[in-house]
């Protein structure tokens, strides 16, 4: 986690009604928005049929992307129970990184974290960036807020039913599905990045999400050459950010 400290981010643990969530924050005064990066599912499984005792990611990709973001106010939000003790953490249970990884409690806790970050920084608007399972959380959070002005996902799990069907694994019975809130997010600009070499979250998952969007929804999918589920994103992220923020400035 030296990545965040070396980049000038402040480590924090924010207490919500459900969990203690680990956060890194870069706060340069004078901004009107915060860009919030939401981590992926992390080390959810120790092996095929045994959940991990601690879902903290060995490769915190969302953090690696967050520190490359040039915006003045940027936060990295770990998922519940990551970097806070695993199943020994407050409110934590293995279900929250397996079957219930996108449960109502997870969404509400993340919303509380965002509210606290807004209070700390004084900003009014929120941009969300979610990696892998964090993409699902970002869309679920956005569907319930009025302050989210954009959502970007990186290798995002945009439809967990399509994903479990694709891999022939157990359905996430205790989880909300971001594909079910397409209509609620229709007016929010969304950009979903998919790696053309991603075998874990292939293009078909994003297509399943897009299939539910009407022609009026502001949701786009962009395939990025040379990226797998976890590799290649750090190298391309500065240019993807530059392109996104340049386009955003002329909306």
């Amino acid at each position: 986690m030296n990545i965040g400290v070396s980049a000038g981010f402040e480590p924090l643990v924010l207490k919500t009604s459900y969990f203690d969530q680990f956060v890194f924050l870069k706060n340069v005064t004078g901004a009107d928005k915060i860009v919030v990066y939401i981590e992926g599912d992390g080390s959810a499984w120790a092996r095929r049929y045994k959940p991990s005792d601690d879902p903290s990611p060995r490769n915190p990709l969302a953090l690696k992307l967050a520190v490359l973001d040039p915006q003045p106010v940027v936060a990295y939000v770990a998922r519940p129970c990551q970097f806070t003790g695993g199943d020994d953490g407050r409110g934590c249970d293995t279900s929250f990184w397996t079957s219930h990884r996108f449960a109502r409690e997870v969404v509400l806790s993340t919303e509380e974290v965002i509210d606290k970050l807004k209070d700390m920084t004084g900003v009014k608007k929120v941009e969300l960036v979610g990696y892998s399972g964090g993409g699902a959380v970002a869309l679920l959070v956005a569907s319930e807020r009025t302050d989210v002005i954009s959502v970007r996902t990186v290798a995002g799990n945009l439809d967990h039913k399509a994903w479990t069907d694709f891999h022939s694994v157990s359905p996430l019975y205790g989880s909300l599905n971001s594909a079910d809130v397409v209509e609620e997010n229709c007016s929010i600009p969304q950009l979903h990045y998919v790696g053309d070499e991603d075998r874990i979250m292939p293009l078909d998952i994003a297509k399943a999400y897009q299939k539910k969007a009407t022609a009026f929804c502001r949701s786009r999918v962009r395939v990025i050459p040379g990226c797998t589920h976890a590799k290649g994103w750090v190298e391309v992220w500065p240019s993807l950010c530059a392109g996104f923020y340049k386009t955003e400035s002329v909306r």
Side-chain angles (χ1 to χ4, degrees):
M1 299 303 283
N2 289 334
I3 304 165
V5 175
S6 299
F9 283 59
E10 178 186 4
L12 303 163
V13 175
L14 300 183
K15 188 183 187 73
T16 75
S17 301
Y18 306 91
F19 310 100
D20 299 324
Q21 282 193 243
F22 183 82
V23 169
F24 265 124
L25 175 64
K26 177 181 73 172
N27 182 19
V28 179
T29 57
D32 65 344
K33 70 178 181 181
I34 183 171
V35 186
V36 177
Y37 284 71
I38 303 174
E39 187 57 85
D41 296 339
S43 302
W45 294 88
R47 49 185 181 270
R48 184 169 176 81
Y49 297 109
K50 186 180 186 306
S52 170
D53 294 333
D54 187 342
S56 302
R58 299 183 186 90
N59 175 30
L61 186 61
L63 176 59
K64 292 180 179 181
L65 301 183
V67 300
L68 295 172
D69 195 301
Q71 295 299 301
V73 182
V74 179
Y76 163 80
V77 178
R79 300 275 288 285
C81 313
Q82 294 179 352
F83 308 114
T84 57
D87 59 11
D88 290 329
R90 184 172 66 89
C92 291
D93 179 272
T94 55
S95 64
F96 286 117
W97 52 92
T98 55
S99 60
H100 290 59
R101 65 186 71 182
F102 311 132
R104 184 79 179 144
E105 296 93 327
V106 172
V107 176
L108 291 175
S109 184
T110 306
E111 289 202 56
E112 287 188 33
V113 168
I114 293 170
D115 289 339
K116 289 175 182 289
L117 289 169
K118 285 181 65 181
D119 288 341
M120 293 168 64
T121 58
V123 303
K124 302 298 182 186
K125 297 180 287 188
V126 179
E127 294 194 328
L128 298 175
V129 184
Y131 165 64
S132 191
V137 176
L139 288 166
L140 290 165
V141 165
S143 71
E144 300 188 345
R145 302 181 68 95
T146 60
D147 55 0
V148 175
I149 60 173
S150 75
V151 177
R152 281 172 286 165
T153 67
V154 178
N157 192 343
L158 308 184
D159 186 335
H160 70 66
K161 184 180 185 306
W163 178 66
T164 55
D165 286 349
F166 179 86
H167 288 289
S168 299
V169 297
S170 300
L172 305 184
Y173 288 118
S175 291
L176 303 173
N177 194 354
S178 52
D180 293 335
V181 295
V182 171
E183 186 175 341
E184 288 84 342
N185 285 330
C186 200
S187 63
I188 300 174
Q190 302 165 54
L191 185 51
H192 306 294
Y193 298 109
V194 179
D196 73 340
E197 297 179 19
D198 192 340
R199 303 293 176 259
I200 295 174
M201 210 68 65
L203 181 59
D204 285 350
I205 310 304
K207 285 182 175 179
Y209 176 85
Q210 286 292 97
K211 200 172 188 179
K212 298 186 177 183
T214 69
F216 302 100
C217 287
R218 303 175 68 185
S219 177
R220 294 185 294 126
V221 173
R222 181 175 171 188
V223 178
I224 306 301
C227 289
T228 68
H229 192 64
K231 294 181 179 179
W233 295 108
V234 171
E235 291 76 12
V236 301
W237 196 242
S239 63
L240 292 178
C241 272
F244 176 80
Y245 291 129
K246 182 178 179 181
T247 303
E248 183 183 53
S249 67
V250 296
R251 279 182 195 152

